[in-house]
Amino acid sequence: MDGASPSLHEQRRPILLRNRAAGPHQLPWWCDQGAGDEPRRLLRSCPRYAPTPLISLPGVAEQLGVAEVWIKDETQRLGIGSFKGLGGAYAVLKMAMEHARRCTGRAILPAELLEPGVRSLLSALTFSCASDGNHGRSVSAGARLIGARAVVYLHEGVTDERAAHISRLGGTIVRVAGDYNDSVEAAAKAAHQDGWIAVPDTVGPGEDEKACTFVVQGYAVLIDEIMAAANGPEASFTHVLVQAGVGGLAASVFGHGWACGLFGAETQLWIVEPERSACLYESARAGEPVRLPPGPATNMSMLECQSPSLLVWPIIDSLATGFIAVTDEEAADAVRLLNTGTSGDPALRVGESGAAGLAGLIRAAAGRGQDKPVVDRTSRVLLFATEGPTDLSAWSGSR
């Protein structure tokens, strides 16, 4: 070693706890109490739409020394195997309805998206996006449902296995040199040049937010389903841990959960990120959104993002209690814990990105990196299994 300080990708970050305000001054419309109503109405057009389960893990709770652990299992969502199925597909359907309305001069009902007359109008449309894997699957599935085309831009770190999942859903793959940010810029440029409809899941400086708001609005369905499964807003979670890449899911969960009364001032809302790609952690520490330089790959590949989405950062900044960065090894341990089941818990087939929230809870429960415990014997914890395995050849649950 030459004595230089470790890079942002190599250092072991302590758990970052902040003094959160009483709540946001104003929530955006995509967090409103009824934000999930239209996504649910439109997504019912998809043959495989169904609520996903909220599962109790008493064995994990006992092992970690907390009262309860609940996990929202998104590994079967819409046949795509990820919560992303709610966002990209909904945005495609929403923007397709707007296009058909402009063409016909009248409002279009969701069922008409599948009828020959409207589909003929939509067949000329092309939707584009960048993806690490799952968002591209969602956009491709939405486009295929209405007879449109999808073009998905993948950076060089996306494996052929993940690309194949997108291709099977009808998406055309375009490879881009560089990292996720480079693929986002390439997708936006192509949409502008070719007259395509861009469906990004992140927003940078000066970029149009419209499509991305629909993507994030789609995630509101998660909170609505949790409230239905837990018998409404009376359900009380003391701690919510949400893994994050650019932050869209976390912002929706925090904001919509707050608007619906599921979370309040006493609820601790935590962000969990890969140690090698902790852009929200570093943004919170800096007091403003920052862009990290490219770094080594992480097995939590769906969370491998270098900068927050500017659309959602204000929500995270105002509502997040704290930030936890976890290592690849901790994510792999969490995968194996879910895959094998603990003391009679159901076995869940979850990918490393999908298990990151549990990895954060394990780290918090162990008391590493903080002066006072994050969780204790009274804690009732909500987690999200955001995806199944996307790269089975490298999946730690198989070893």
Side-chain angles (χ1 to χ4, degrees):
M1 296 292 290
D2 60 6
S5 61
S7 73
L8 290 176
H9 305 288
E10 296 168 335
Q11 63 181 315
R12 191 70 176 104
R13 295 171 175 84
I15 290 178
L16 179 61
L17 177 65
R18 303 192 309 168
N19 292 321
R20 192 184 74 189
H25 295 300
Q26 183 175 2
L27 288 168
W29 65 267
W30 45 266
C31 289
D32 286 346
Q33 190 168 357
D37 295 347
E38 187 174 32
R40 197 163 47 252
R41 183 171 63 93
L42 271 183
L43 289 170
R44 287 196 182 106
S45 302
C46 303
R48 302 189 69 171
Y49 174 76
T52 57
L54 179 66
I55 298 171
S56 176
L57 299 176
V60 170
E62 178 62 28
Q63 180 172 322
L64 298 183
V66 299
E68 297 175 6
V69 173
W70 294 84
I71 192 164
K72 179 67 166 161
D73 181 10
E74 291 295 293
T75 61
Q76 302 301 314
R77 175 69 73 178
L78 287 167
I80 293 170
S82 164
F83 80 97
K84 291 278 188 178
L86 294 170
Y90 167 64
V92 167
L93 298 179
K94 175 71 173 176
M95 299 184 82
M97 286 181 68
E98 291 188 354
H99 175 80
R101 176 185 56 77
R102 289 192 297 270
C103 290
T104 62
R106 63 176 180 84
I108 300 296
L109 299 175
E112 292 182 86
L113 291 173
L114 306 182
E115 295 178 355
V118 172
R119 283 174 65 88
S120 66
L121 297 175
L122 305 178
S123 62
L125 298 180
T126 297
F127 296 87
S128 71
C129 71
S131 181
D132 274 323
N134 286 329
H135 182 59
R137 293 170 77 174
S138 185
V139 170
S140 297
R144 184 172 71 170
L145 181 68
I146 59 174
R149 179 172 177 250
V151 181
V152 182
Y153 287 74
L154 304 179
H155 63 87
E156 57 194 5
V158 178
T159 63
D160 290 340
E161 186 175 349
R162 277 179 269 156
H165 291 318
I166 295 170
S167 296
R168 282 194 288 271
L169 290 167
T172 298
I173 302 299
V174 178
R175 286 287 186 173
V176 177
D179 58 22
Y180 179 70
N181 283 322
D182 295 309
S183 64
V184 169
E185 291 168 2
K189 181 179 179 181
H192 178 73
Q193 290 179 342
D194 297 325
W196 299 342
I197 300 175
V199 190
D201 66 352
T202 186
V203 172
E207 294 177 353
D208 187 357
E209 297 181 348
K210 181 178 180 179
C212 191
T213 60
F214 294 145
V215 172
V216 181
Q217 182 191 4
Y219 304 154
V221 171
L222 285 164
I223 288 294
D224 294 347
E225 290 181 358
I226 288 169
M227 292 183 67
N231 298 316
E234 302 80 19
S236 178
F237 300 107
T238 63
H239 294 72
V240 182
L241 286 80
V242 185
Q243 51 268 56
V246 298
L249 173 64
S252 177
V253 167
F254 294 173
H256 189 49
W258 188 282
C260 292
L262 185 62
F263 312 141
E266 300 304 314
T267 313
Q268 293 197 28
L269 305 174
W270 287 85
I271 296 286
V272 181
E273 296 175 279
E275 187 72 53
R276 298 177 180 176
S277 186
C279 64
L280 296 175
Y281 180 109
E282 293 300 334
S283 295
R285 194 165 72 165
E288 62 181 0
V290 300
R291 179 167 177 170
L292 301 181
T298 170
N299 61 4
M300 292 165 276
S301 51
M302 301 299 104
L303 308 178
E304 195 172 313
C305 304
Q306 285 72 45
S307 58
S309 170
L310 298 186
L311 172 69
V312 305
W313 170 249
I315 300 300
I316 292 171
D317 188 40
S318 64
L319 286 179
T321 303
F323 299 76
I324 302 173
V326 295
T327 66
D328 282 20
E329 292 75 16
E330 288 168 332
D333 289 343
V335 164
R336 287 188 285 270
L337 182 59
L338 290 172
N339 186 49
T340 58
T342 298
S343 302
D345 285 354
L348 301 178
R349 199 164 181 258
V350 180
E352 287 81 0
S353 299
L358 175 58
L361 175 60
I362 293 170
R363 185 176 177 212
R368 297 192 298 268
Q370 72 268 3
D371 295 328
K372 69 179 200 176
V374 172
V375 292
D376 58 29
R377 282 285 178 186
T378 67
S379 302
R380 298 179 301 279
V381 183
L382 174 63
L383 304 174
F384 295 81
T386 50
E387 59 162 51
T390 53
D391 292 291
L392 283 173
S393 60
W395 181 49
S396 60
S398 61
R399 296 194 298 275

